[in-house]
């Protein structure tokens, strides 16, 4: 039997992981935008020590602080609940940036209408290598190659 | 008296990735294994997340972990607690899984300043180059291709 991931030990541990996943995104943004912790504290109207305290103890993040920190850097936040077919949490949570990257690769749809506008063509003629091709019509971004066998017939045309 | 035997094991209680893993050497007082496994629960969680982030394929933020430019040396950091776990990156399976990357943690330092302490990287290099280290990694990752029948 596979042991559960450590975040299954308590809800607090799971929350700690999620909080860490959020603060890591904030710290990455600070680094890519070259914003120092003191400057960030000014944007938040907080003392640098208070900001460090929150970033270093992500288990106690409140939803209000999550929004506040993201908005101060011009970012938005989504809470995503997902079912990854791992009910016993043997594999642990999925990094939020995986979801972000998928969203970016789909051309950053703003809503479900945008999403349904993204037409995906699956070429049924198999190319010599045995692979199938898929692209979005919005930005001609290659999607992950999938086999048509993995897609139910009614889903082959988006 | 025979020299202490150096062993390698994956860092326990963290999710290892399909393309990346973090392990540690143990068997010598200079190594960081005891420090890493003896962290307070809160500090352990902080570092577990940092390591899982890396094994999951994400690099950085630099405040948590980074490779030293132009070198195979690597560090996991917990700045607020001044914890630094140093190690090196390698590809232990060149024959069977060439893209698989391993971070081998070697030594620990408690430091506040951001400047890299070359002495710390010197310790990492010494462990990286040690035949006992290479042997321990090879024992854990035999990298033997199965004969085709």
């Amino acid at each position: 039997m596979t042991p559960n991931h450590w975040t299954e030990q308590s809800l607090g541990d799971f929350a700690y992981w999620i909080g860490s996943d959020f603060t890591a995104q904030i710290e990455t943004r600070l680094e890519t935008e070259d914003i120092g912790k003191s400057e960030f504290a000014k944007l938040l109207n907080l003392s640098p020590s208070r900001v460090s305290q929150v970033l270093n103890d992500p288990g106690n993040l409140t939803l209000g602080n999550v929004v506040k920190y993201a908005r101060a850097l011009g970012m938005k936040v989504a809470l995503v609940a997902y079912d990854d077919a791992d009910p016993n949490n043997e594999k642990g949570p999925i990094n939020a940036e995986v979801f972000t990257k998928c969203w970016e690769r789909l051309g950053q749809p703003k809503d479900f209408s945008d999403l349904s506008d993204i037409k995906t063509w699956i070429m049924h003629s198999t190319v010599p290598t045995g692979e199938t091709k898929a692209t979005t019509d919005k930005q001609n971004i290659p999607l992950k190659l999938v086999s048509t066998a993995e897609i139910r017939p009614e889903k082959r045309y988006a | 008296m025979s020299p202490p035997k150096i062993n390698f094991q994956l860092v326990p209680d963290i999710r290892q990735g399909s393309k990346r893993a973090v392990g540690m050497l143990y068997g010598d007082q200079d190594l960081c294994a005891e420090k890493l496994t003896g962290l307070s629960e809160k500090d352990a969680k902080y570092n577990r997340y940092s390591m899982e982030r890396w094994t999951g394929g994400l690099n950085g933020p630099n405040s948590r972990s980074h490779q030293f430019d132009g070198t195979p040396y690597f560090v996991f950091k917990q700045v607020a607690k001044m914890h630094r776990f140093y190690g090196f990156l390698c590809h232990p399976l060149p024959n069977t899984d060439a893209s698989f990357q391993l971070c081998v943690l070697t030594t620990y330092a408690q430091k506040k300043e951001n400047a890299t302490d070359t002495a710390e990287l010197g310790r990492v290099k010494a462990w990286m180059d040690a035949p006992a280290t290479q042997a321990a990694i090879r024992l854990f990752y035999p990298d033997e291709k199965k004969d085709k029948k």
Side-chain angles (χ1 to χ4, degrees):
Chain A
M1 186 180 154
T2 310
N4 291 335
H5 188 259
W6 63 271
T7 54
E8 192 60 15
Q9 287 171 19
S10 72
L11 293 178
D13 285 344
F14 202 108
Y16 187 95
W17 198 101
I18 300 300
S20 299
D21 206 38
F22 173 75
T23 57
Q25 292 171 79
I26 292 295
E27 288 184 277
T28 299
R29 179 79 164 197
L30 291 174
E31 288 175 8
T32 54
E33 299 290 321
D34 201 19
I35 299 170
K37 295 271 170 64
S38 302
E39 193 181 341
F40 185 42
K42 276 183 191 167
L43 290 170
L44 291 164
N45 204 21
L46 293 170
S47 68
S49 61
R50 176 64 191 142
V51 173
S52 292
Q53 195 180 8
V54 172
L55 294 179
N56 293 321
D57 192 5
N60 292 328
L61 269 174
T62 64
L63 194 50
N65 273 342
V66 165
V67 173
K68 186 176 182 178
Y69 280 47
R71 294 300 300 130
L73 294 172
M75 301 165 82
K76 294 180 183 175
V77 179
L79 290 180
V80 180
Y82 56 90
D83 182 351
D84 63 350
D86 180 26
N88 296 324
N89 193 19
E90 290 168 2
K91 296 172 183 169
I94 293 173
N95 288 99
E97 282 132 296
V98 171
F99 296 104
T100 306
K101 205 50 99 177
C102 291
W103 174 72
E104 288 172 355
R105 285 185 182 179
L106 280 174
Q108 301 184 347
K110 301 291 182 222
D111 54 26
F112 267 85
S113 301
D114 265 3
L115 199 54
S116 60
D117 280 348
I118 299 170
K119 292 186 178 174
T120 305
W121 285 284
I122 306 292
M123 287 170 58
H124 293 282
S125 56
T126 308
V127 292
T129 57
E131 296 169 333
T132 53
K133 285 182 175 175
T135 59
T136 66
D137 66 343
K138 277 203 154 181
Q139 297 182 356
N140 200 30
I141 302 166
L143 299 175
K144 181 188 174 191
L145 295 173
V146 293
S147 162
T148 51
E150 294 174 83
I151 303 170
R152 292 199 303 273
E154 67 274 19
K155 297 281 184 185
R156 285 184 183 165
Y157 299 98
Chain B
M1 197 175 94
S2 59
K5 185 167 166 53
I6 302 304
N7 286 295
F8 172 86
Q9 71 168 73
L10 294 175
V11 173
D13 300 327
I14 72 160
R15 175 178 59 194
Q16 304 289 351
S18 57
K19 288 294 170 191
R20 284 179 173 181
V22 183
M24 57 190 182
L25 296 172
Y26 63 96
D28 187 283
Q29 288 294 312
D30 189 43
L31 295 166
C32 66
E34 273 187 33
K35 183 71 188 176
L36 183 61
T37 53
L39 288 172
S40 70
E41 184 53 29
K42 217 166 196 176
D43 290 356
K45 283 194 283 191
Y46 186 97
N47 286 285
R48 264 183 229 145
Y49 172 80
S50 296
M51 290 177 190
E52 290 190 354
R53 189 174 170 81
W54 187 79
T55 59
L58 285 160
N59 295 324
N62 288 345
S63 53
R64 281 182 176 266
S65 69
H66 66 84
Q67 188 172 356
F68 291 90
D69 287 344
T71 77
Y73 310 137
F74 198 87
V75 66
F76 284 103
K77 304 191 283 190
Q78 187 178 4
V79 176
K81 297 293 180 74
M82 297 187 281
H83 294 315
R84 299 281 198 283
F85 292 95
Y86 293 96
F88 62 90
L89 302 180
C90 62
H91 294 277
L93 300 169
N95 295 317
T96 53
D97 191 357
S99 62
F100 178 73
Q101 196 172 31
L102 180 68
C103 177
V104 182
L105 297 177
T106 54
T107 42
Y108 170 84
Q110 189 159 53
K111 64 196 286 282
K112 193 170 188 177
E113 64 276 12
N114 275 327
T116 305
D117 187 346
T118 49
E120 296 304 334
L121 299 188
R123 284 169 76 201
V124 177
K125 184 179 185 330
W127 279 109
M128 183 177 74
D129 294 342
T133 298
Q134 300 303 323
I137 295 170
R138 267 199 308 273
L139 187 66
F140 197 89
Y141 292 105
D143 194 29
E144 288 164 357
K145 277 185 176 170
K146 285 177 184 169
D147 290 336
K148 285 181 184 172
K149 287 183 180 176

